[in-house]
Short mmCIF file of all heavy atoms in Angstrom, two decimals:
data_model
loop_
_atom_site.label_atom_id
_atom_site.label_comp_id
_atom_site.label_asym_id
_atom_site.label_seq_id
_atom_site.Cartn_x
_atom_site.Cartn_y
_atom_site.Cartn_z
N PHE U 208 -15.83 -35.43 -14.17
CA PHE U 208 -14.74 -34.54 -13.77
C PHE U 208 -14.46 -33.53 -14.89
O PHE U 208 -14.33 -32.34 -14.67
CB PHE U 208 -13.50 -35.39 -13.47
CG PHE U 208 -12.25 -34.61 -13.31
CD1 PHE U 208 -12.04 -33.86 -12.15
CD2 PHE U 208 -11.26 -34.60 -14.28
CE1 PHE U 208 -10.88 -33.13 -11.98
CE2 PHE U 208 -10.10 -33.88 -14.13
CZ PHE U 208 -9.90 -33.14 -12.98
N ARG U 209 -14.46 -34.06 -16.14
CA ARG U 209 -14.22 -33.22 -17.31
C ARG U 209 -15.25 -32.11 -17.42
O ARG U 209 -14.94 -30.96 -17.64
CB ARG U 209 -14.32 -34.06 -18.59
CG ARG U 209 -13.02 -34.44 -19.14
CD ARG U 209 -12.66 -33.50 -20.30
NE ARG U 209 -11.24 -33.57 -20.54
CZ ARG U 209 -10.50 -32.58 -20.98
NH1 ARG U 209 -11.05 -31.42 -21.24
NH2 ARG U 209 -9.23 -32.71 -21.19
N SER U 210 -16.54 -32.53 -17.21
CA SER U 210 -17.56 -31.50 -17.39
C SER U 210 -17.46 -30.46 -16.28
O SER U 210 -17.76 -29.29 -16.50
CB SER U 210 -18.96 -32.10 -17.52
OG SER U 210 -19.28 -32.74 -16.33
N VAL U 211 -17.02 -30.88 -15.08
CA VAL U 211 -16.83 -29.90 -14.00
C VAL U 211 -15.70 -28.94 -14.40
O VAL U 211 -15.86 -27.71 -14.35
CB VAL U 211 -16.48 -30.59 -12.66
CG1 VAL U 211 -16.03 -29.58 -11.62
CG2 VAL U 211 -17.68 -31.37 -12.14
N VAL U 212 -14.58 -29.52 -14.84
CA VAL U 212 -13.42 -28.69 -15.21
C VAL U 212 -13.78 -27.77 -16.38
O VAL U 212 -13.43 -26.59 -16.39
CB VAL U 212 -12.20 -29.57 -15.56
CG1 VAL U 212 -11.05 -28.75 -16.13
CG2 VAL U 212 -11.71 -30.30 -14.31
N ASN U 213 -14.53 -28.33 -17.34
CA ASN U 213 -14.89 -27.52 -18.51
C ASN U 213 -15.81 -26.36 -18.17
O ASN U 213 -15.85 -25.37 -18.87
CB ASN U 213 -15.54 -28.39 -19.58
CG ASN U 213 -14.50 -29.21 -20.31
OD1 ASN U 213 -13.30 -29.01 -20.10
ND2 ASN U 213 -14.93 -30.13 -21.14
N SER U 214 -16.60 -26.55 -17.11
CA SER U 214 -17.54 -25.47 -16.81
C SER U 214 -16.90 -24.40 -15.90
O SER U 214 -17.53 -23.41 -15.58
CB SER U 214 -18.80 -26.03 -16.15
OG SER U 214 -18.41 -26.66 -14.95
N MET U 215 -15.64 -24.61 -15.52
CA MET U 215 -14.99 -23.61 -14.66
C MET U 215 -14.66 -22.35 -15.44
O MET U 215 -14.29 -22.40 -16.60
CB MET U 215 -13.69 -24.20 -14.07
CG MET U 215 -13.97 -25.13 -12.91
SD MET U 215 -12.49 -25.97 -12.39
CE MET U 215 -11.60 -24.65 -11.61
N THR U 216 -14.81 -21.21 -14.75
CA THR U 216 -14.48 -19.95 -15.44
C THR U 216 -12.98 -19.70 -15.42
O THR U 216 -12.46 -18.90 -16.19
CB THR U 216 -15.21 -18.76 -14.77
OG1 THR U 216 -15.04 -18.87 -13.37
CG2 THR U 216 -16.67 -18.74 -15.12
N GLU U 217 -12.28 -20.36 -14.50
CA GLU U 217 -10.82 -20.25 -14.49
C GLU U 217 -10.26 -21.20 -15.54
O GLU U 217 -10.83 -22.26 -15.78
CB GLU U 217 -10.23 -20.68 -13.14
CG GLU U 217 -10.35 -19.65 -12.05
CD GLU U 217 -11.64 -19.78 -11.29
OE1 GLU U 217 -12.39 -20.74 -11.60
OE2 GLU U 217 -11.92 -18.93 -10.44
N GLY U 218 -9.13 -20.82 -16.11
CA GLY U 218 -8.49 -21.72 -17.06
C GLY U 218 -7.76 -22.82 -16.31
O GLY U 218 -7.07 -22.55 -15.33
N VAL U 219 -7.95 -24.08 -16.74
CA VAL U 219 -7.24 -25.18 -16.10
C VAL U 219 -6.39 -25.87 -17.16
O VAL U 219 -6.88 -26.21 -18.25
CB VAL U 219 -8.23 -26.20 -15.47
CG1 VAL U 219 -7.46 -27.34 -14.80
CG2 VAL U 219 -9.12 -25.52 -14.45
N VAL U 220 -5.11 -26.04 -16.86
CA VAL U 220 -4.18 -26.64 -17.82
C VAL U 220 -3.39 -27.73 -17.10
O VAL U 220 -2.97 -27.53 -15.95
CB VAL U 220 -3.18 -25.57 -18.34
CG1 VAL U 220 -2.13 -26.19 -19.24
CG2 VAL U 220 -3.89 -24.46 -19.07
N LEU U 221 -3.23 -28.89 -17.75
CA LEU U 221 -2.39 -29.93 -17.17
C LEU U 221 -1.19 -30.09 -18.09
O LEU U 221 -1.34 -30.23 -19.31
CB LEU U 221 -3.19 -31.24 -17.08
CG LEU U 221 -2.44 -32.41 -16.49
CD1 LEU U 221 -2.18 -32.19 -15.01
CD2 LEU U 221 -3.23 -33.71 -16.67
N THR U 222 0.01 -30.05 -17.51
CA THR U 222 1.21 -30.26 -18.33
C THR U 222 2.05 -31.36 -17.71
O THR U 222 1.90 -31.67 -16.52
CB THR U 222 2.11 -29.00 -18.38
OG1 THR U 222 2.60 -28.73 -17.08
CG2 THR U 222 1.38 -27.79 -18.90
N ASP U 223 2.92 -31.95 -18.54
CA ASP U 223 3.88 -32.89 -17.94
C ASP U 223 5.05 -32.06 -17.42
O ASP U 223 5.04 -30.82 -17.50
CB ASP U 223 4.30 -33.97 -18.94
CG ASP U 223 5.01 -33.41 -20.15
OD1 ASP U 223 5.41 -32.24 -20.08
OD2 ASP U 223 5.16 -34.13 -21.15
N LEU U 224 6.08 -32.74 -16.93
CA LEU U 224 7.15 -31.99 -16.28
C LEU U 224 7.97 -31.15 -17.24
O LEU U 224 8.57 -30.15 -16.86
CB LEU U 224 8.08 -32.95 -15.51
CG LEU U 224 7.46 -33.48 -14.22
CD1 LEU U 224 8.43 -34.38 -13.50
CD2 LEU U 224 7.04 -32.34 -13.32
N SER U 225 7.95 -31.54 -18.54
CA SER U 225 8.71 -30.71 -19.47
C SER U 225 7.85 -29.62 -20.09
O SER U 225 8.29 -28.92 -21.00
CB SER U 225 9.37 -31.58 -20.54
OG SER U 225 8.45 -32.51 -21.01
N GLY U 226 6.64 -29.46 -19.60
CA GLY U 226 5.82 -28.33 -20.02
C GLY U 226 4.92 -28.60 -21.21
O GLY U 226 4.32 -27.68 -21.74
N HIS U 227 4.81 -29.90 -21.65
CA HIS U 227 3.89 -30.20 -22.75
C HIS U 227 2.46 -30.18 -22.24
O HIS U 227 2.18 -30.72 -21.17
CB HIS U 227 4.18 -31.59 -23.33
CG HIS U 227 5.47 -31.63 -24.05
ND1 HIS U 227 6.53 -32.35 -23.60
CD2 HIS U 227 5.86 -31.00 -25.17
CE1 HIS U 227 7.54 -32.17 -24.43
NE2 HIS U 227 7.16 -31.36 -25.39
N LEU U 228 1.57 -29.56 -23.03
CA LEU U 228 0.18 -29.50 -22.60
C LEU U 228 -0.45 -30.89 -22.74
O LEU U 228 -0.36 -31.52 -23.78
CB LEU U 228 -0.63 -28.54 -23.47
CG LEU U 228 -0.28 -27.06 -23.46
CD1 LEU U 228 -1.41 -26.24 -24.06
CD2 LEU U 228 -0.05 -26.58 -22.04
N LEU U 229 -1.10 -31.37 -21.67
CA LEU U 229 -1.79 -32.66 -21.74
C LEU U 229 -3.29 -32.44 -21.77
O LEU U 229 -4.03 -33.25 -22.31
CB LEU U 229 -1.42 -33.53 -20.53
CG LEU U 229 0.07 -33.84 -20.36
CD1 LEU U 229 0.31 -34.61 -19.09
CD2 LEU U 229 0.58 -34.63 -21.55
N MET U 230 -3.74 -31.36 -21.16
CA MET U 230 -5.17 -31.09 -21.12
C MET U 230 -5.41 -29.60 -20.89
O MET U 230 -4.67 -28.96 -20.16
CB MET U 230 -5.79 -31.90 -19.97
CG MET U 230 -7.27 -31.81 -19.89
SD MET U 230 -7.80 -31.88 -18.16
CE MET U 230 -7.75 -30.17 -17.73
N THR U 231 -6.45 -29.05 -21.54
CA THR U 231 -6.85 -27.66 -21.26
C THR U 231 -8.36 -27.61 -21.23
O THR U 231 -9.02 -28.39 -21.92
CB THR U 231 -6.39 -26.70 -22.39
OG1 THR U 231 -6.84 -27.23 -23.64
CG2 THR U 231 -4.91 -26.50 -22.42
N ASN U 232 -8.93 -26.73 -20.43
CA ASN U 232 -10.39 -26.56 -20.48
C ASN U 232 -10.70 -25.36 -21.39
O ASN U 232 -9.79 -24.61 -21.76
CB ASN U 232 -10.98 -26.44 -19.06
CG ASN U 232 -10.64 -25.13 -18.39
OD1 ASN U 232 -9.79 -24.40 -18.86
ND2 ASN U 232 -11.30 -24.83 -17.30
N PRO U 233 -11.97 -25.16 -21.79
CA PRO U 233 -12.26 -24.08 -22.74
C PRO U 233 -11.82 -22.70 -22.24
O PRO U 233 -11.34 -21.88 -23.02
CB PRO U 233 -13.79 -24.14 -22.89
CG PRO U 233 -14.17 -25.52 -22.50
CD PRO U 233 -13.17 -25.98 -21.49
N ALA U 234 -11.96 -22.45 -20.91
CA ALA U 234 -11.54 -21.13 -20.39
C ALA U 234 -10.04 -20.94 -20.62
O ALA U 234 -9.58 -19.85 -21.00
CB ALA U 234 -11.86 -21.01 -18.91
N ALA U 235 -9.26 -22.02 -20.42
CA ALA U 235 -7.81 -21.93 -20.64
C ALA U 235 -7.54 -21.70 -22.12
O ALA U 235 -6.69 -20.86 -22.48
CB ALA U 235 -7.12 -23.20 -20.17
N ASP U 236 -8.28 -22.41 -23.00
CA ASP U 236 -8.07 -22.22 -24.44
C ASP U 236 -8.25 -20.76 -24.82
O ASP U 236 -7.48 -20.20 -25.59
CB ASP U 236 -9.07 -23.08 -25.24
CG ASP U 236 -8.70 -24.55 -25.14
OD1 ASP U 236 -7.51 -24.84 -24.93
OD2 ASP U 236 -9.60 -25.40 -25.25
N SER U 237 -9.31 -20.14 -24.24
CA SER U 237 -9.57 -18.76 -24.64
C SER U 237 -8.48 -17.83 -24.10
O SER U 237 -8.06 -16.89 -24.79
CB SER U 237 -10.99 -18.35 -24.25
OG SER U 237 -10.98 -17.42 -23.23
N ILE U 238 -7.98 -18.10 -22.88
CA ILE U 238 -6.89 -17.25 -22.34
C ILE U 238 -5.62 -17.42 -23.18
O ILE U 238 -4.97 -16.45 -23.55
CB ILE U 238 -6.62 -17.60 -20.85
CG1 ILE U 238 -7.82 -17.18 -20.00
CG2 ILE U 238 -5.36 -16.91 -20.34
CD1 ILE U 238 -7.74 -17.59 -18.54
N LEU U 239 -5.31 -18.68 -23.53
CA LEU U 239 -4.09 -18.95 -24.31
C LEU U 239 -4.17 -18.24 -25.66
O LEU U 239 -3.20 -17.67 -26.15
CB LEU U 239 -3.91 -20.45 -24.56
CG LEU U 239 -3.74 -21.35 -23.34
CD1 LEU U 239 -3.40 -22.77 -23.75
CD2 LEU U 239 -2.65 -20.84 -22.44
N PHE U 240 -5.38 -18.24 -26.24
CA PHE U 240 -5.56 -17.63 -27.55
C PHE U 240 -5.44 -16.10 -27.42
O PHE U 240 -4.74 -15.46 -28.18
CB PHE U 240 -6.94 -18.03 -28.10
CG PHE U 240 -7.26 -17.37 -29.41
CD1 PHE U 240 -6.64 -17.80 -30.58
CD2 PHE U 240 -8.16 -16.31 -29.47
CE1 PHE U 240 -6.92 -17.19 -31.79
CE2 PHE U 240 -8.43 -15.69 -30.67
CZ PHE U 240 -7.82 -16.13 -31.83
N ARG U 241 -6.16 -15.55 -26.41
CA ARG U 241 -6.20 -14.09 -26.25
C ARG U 241 -4.82 -13.53 -25.96
O ARG U 241 -4.45 -12.48 -26.48
CB ARG U 241 -7.15 -13.76 -25.10
CG ARG U 241 -7.55 -12.32 -25.00
CD ARG U 241 -8.89 -12.17 -24.33
NE ARG U 241 -9.03 -12.97 -23.14
CZ ARG U 241 -8.63 -12.58 -21.92
NH1 ARG U 241 -8.07 -11.42 -21.77
NH2 ARG U 241 -8.83 -13.35 -20.87
N LEU U 242 -4.04 -14.23 -25.13
CA LEU U 242 -2.73 -13.70 -24.74
C LEU U 242 -1.60 -14.25 -25.61
O LEU U 242 -0.43 -14.06 -25.33
CB LEU U 242 -2.44 -14.00 -23.26
CG LEU U 242 -3.48 -13.48 -22.27
CD1 LEU U 242 -3.11 -13.83 -20.85
CD2 LEU U 242 -3.60 -11.97 -22.39
N ARG U 243 -2.01 -14.97 -26.66
CA ARG U 243 -1.06 -15.57 -27.59
C ARG U 243 0.04 -16.35 -26.85
O ARG U 243 1.23 -16.18 -27.09
CB ARG U 243 -0.37 -14.52 -28.47
CG ARG U 243 -1.33 -13.53 -29.09
CD ARG U 243 -1.11 -13.38 -30.58
NE ARG U 243 -1.80 -12.25 -31.12
CZ ARG U 243 -3.12 -12.06 -31.15
NH1 ARG U 243 -3.91 -12.98 -30.64
NH2 ARG U 243 -3.67 -11.01 -31.69
N LEU U 244 -0.37 -17.17 -25.91
CA LEU U 244 0.59 -17.98 -25.16
C LEU U 244 0.92 -19.22 -25.99
O LEU U 244 0.03 -19.82 -26.60
CB LEU U 244 0.01 -18.40 -23.81
CG LEU U 244 -0.20 -17.26 -22.81
CD1 LEU U 244 -0.86 -17.76 -21.54
CD2 LEU U 244 1.13 -16.62 -22.47
N ASP U 245 2.18 -19.58 -25.97
CA ASP U 245 2.64 -20.67 -26.81
C ASP U 245 2.18 -22.02 -26.27
O ASP U 245 2.34 -22.30 -25.09
CB ASP U 245 4.17 -20.63 -26.85
CG ASP U 245 4.70 -21.28 -28.09
OD1 ASP U 245 4.00 -22.20 -28.58
OD2 ASP U 245 5.76 -20.87 -28.57
N ARG U 246 1.58 -22.84 -27.15
CA ARG U 246 1.13 -24.15 -26.71
C ARG U 246 2.23 -25.19 -26.88
O ARG U 246 2.16 -26.25 -26.29
CB ARG U 246 -0.06 -24.62 -27.57
CG ARG U 246 -1.35 -23.92 -27.24
CD ARG U 246 -2.43 -24.31 -28.21
NE ARG U 246 -3.72 -24.06 -27.62
CZ ARG U 246 -4.39 -24.91 -26.87
NH1 ARG U 246 -3.91 -26.10 -26.62
NH2 ARG U 246 -5.56 -24.60 -26.36
N ASP U 247 3.21 -24.87 -27.74
CA ASP U 247 4.17 -25.92 -28.10
C ASP U 247 5.43 -25.91 -27.26
O ASP U 247 5.89 -26.94 -26.82
CB ASP U 247 4.52 -25.81 -29.59
CG ASP U 247 3.26 -25.93 -30.42
OD1 ASP U 247 2.39 -26.72 -30.00
OD2 ASP U 247 3.14 -25.23 -31.43
N GLN U 248 5.98 -24.69 -27.05
CA GLN U 248 7.19 -24.70 -26.22
C GLN U 248 6.78 -24.84 -24.75
O GLN U 248 5.61 -24.84 -24.43
CB GLN U 248 8.03 -23.45 -26.45
CG GLN U 248 7.26 -22.16 -26.25
CD GLN U 248 8.18 -20.99 -26.05
OE1 GLN U 248 8.67 -20.81 -24.98
NE2 GLN U 248 8.38 -20.21 -27.10
N GLY U 249 7.77 -25.00 -23.86
CA GLY U 249 7.47 -25.17 -22.44
C GLY U 249 6.43 -24.16 -22.00
O GLY U 249 6.62 -22.96 -22.19
N PHE U 250 5.33 -24.64 -21.44
CA PHE U 250 4.20 -23.77 -21.11
C PHE U 250 4.64 -22.60 -20.22
O PHE U 250 4.30 -21.45 -20.47
CB PHE U 250 3.12 -24.60 -20.42
CG PHE U 250 1.90 -23.82 -20.07
CD1 PHE U 250 1.13 -23.22 -21.04
CD2 PHE U 250 1.51 -23.69 -18.74
CE1 PHE U 250 0.01 -22.48 -20.72
CE2 PHE U 250 0.39 -22.96 -18.41
CZ PHE U 250 -0.36 -22.35 -19.40
N ALA U 251 5.44 -22.91 -19.18
CA ALA U 251 5.85 -21.87 -18.22
C ALA U 251 6.65 -20.77 -18.91
O ALA U 251 6.52 -19.60 -18.57
CB ALA U 251 6.67 -22.48 -17.11
N ASN U 252 7.46 -21.14 -19.92
CA ASN U 252 8.29 -20.14 -20.58
C ASN U 252 7.47 -19.10 -21.32
O ASN U 252 7.92 -17.98 -21.53
CB ASN U 252 9.25 -20.81 -21.59
CG ASN U 252 10.21 -21.71 -20.86
OD1 ASN U 252 10.48 -21.49 -19.69
ND2 ASN U 252 10.68 -22.75 -21.53
N SER U 253 6.27 -19.50 -21.73
CA SER U 253 5.49 -18.56 -22.53
C SER U 253 5.03 -17.36 -21.71
O SER U 253 4.56 -16.39 -22.26
CB SER U 253 4.31 -19.27 -23.19
OG SER U 253 3.50 -19.81 -22.21
N PHE U 254 5.15 -17.41 -20.36
CA PHE U 254 4.78 -16.26 -19.55
C PHE U 254 5.90 -15.21 -19.48
O PHE U 254 5.69 -14.10 -19.02
CB PHE U 254 4.45 -16.69 -18.11
CG PHE U 254 3.20 -17.53 -18.03
CD1 PHE U 254 3.26 -18.85 -17.65
CD2 PHE U 254 1.98 -16.98 -18.33
CE1 PHE U 254 2.12 -19.62 -17.58
CE2 PHE U 254 0.82 -17.73 -18.26
CZ PHE U 254 0.89 -19.06 -17.89
N HIS U 255 7.11 -15.62 -19.91
CA HIS U 255 8.28 -14.73 -19.85
C HIS U 255 8.44 -14.11 -18.47
O HIS U 255 8.57 -12.89 -18.33
CB HIS U 255 8.19 -13.62 -20.91
CG HIS U 255 8.04 -14.18 -22.29
ND1 HIS U 255 9.07 -14.84 -22.91
CD2 HIS U 255 6.99 -14.22 -23.13
CE1 HIS U 255 8.64 -15.24 -24.10
NE2 HIS U 255 7.39 -14.89 -24.25
N ASP U 256 8.32 -14.91 -17.46
CA ASP U 256 8.44 -14.41 -16.09
C ASP U 256 9.50 -15.25 -15.37
O ASP U 256 9.29 -16.42 -15.08
CB ASP U 256 7.07 -14.53 -15.40
CG ASP U 256 7.07 -13.90 -14.02
OD1 ASP U 256 7.91 -14.27 -13.18
OD2 ASP U 256 6.21 -13.05 -13.79
N LYS U 257 10.65 -14.58 -15.10
CA LYS U 257 11.79 -15.33 -14.54
C LYS U 257 11.47 -15.89 -13.16
O LYS U 257 11.86 -17.00 -12.83
CB LYS U 257 13.01 -14.40 -14.45
CG LYS U 257 13.68 -14.24 -15.79
CD LYS U 257 14.95 -13.43 -15.64
CE LYS U 257 15.44 -13.04 -17.02
NZ LYS U 257 15.99 -11.73 -17.08
N ASP U 258 10.75 -15.10 -12.35
CA ASP U 258 10.43 -15.56 -10.99
C ASP U 258 9.61 -16.83 -11.04
O ASP U 258 9.80 -17.76 -10.25
CB ASP U 258 9.62 -14.49 -10.23
CG ASP U 258 10.50 -13.34 -9.84
OD1 ASP U 258 11.72 -13.53 -9.86
OD2 ASP U 258 9.96 -12.26 -9.54
N LEU U 259 8.67 -16.86 -11.99
CA LEU U 259 7.80 -18.04 -12.11
C LEU U 259 8.62 -19.27 -12.48
O LEU U 259 8.48 -20.34 -11.88
CB LEU U 259 6.71 -17.78 -13.15
CG LEU U 259 5.80 -18.95 -13.46
CD1 LEU U 259 4.81 -19.16 -12.33
CD2 LEU U 259 5.02 -18.74 -14.75
N VAL U 260 9.51 -19.08 -13.45
CA VAL U 260 10.34 -20.21 -13.90
C VAL U 260 11.21 -20.72 -12.75
O VAL U 260 11.35 -21.92 -12.55
CB VAL U 260 11.20 -19.78 -15.12
CG1 VAL U 260 12.18 -20.87 -15.51
CG2 VAL U 260 10.30 -19.44 -16.30
#
Side-chain angles (χ1 to χ4, degrees):
F208 169 74
R209 259 260 161 212
S210 64
V211 169
V212 172
N213 284 352
S214 61
M215 282 172 72
T216 47
E217 282 89 4
V219 180
V220 175
L221 180 69
T222 64
D223 62 15
L224 286 182
S225 45
H227 291 113
L228 296 196
L229 301 176
M230 185 214 89
T231 52
N232 71 348
D236 288 334
S237 110
I238 292 174
L239 299 187
F240 176 75
R241 193 154 46 86
L242 303 180
R243 312 230 193 297
L244 292 176
D245 205 330
R246 285 174 158 272
D247 302 324
Q248 54 162 280
F250 181 62
N252 296 334
S253 60
F254 292 114
H255 303 290
D256 186 305
K257 281 185 191 142
D258 286 343
L259 175 75
V260 173

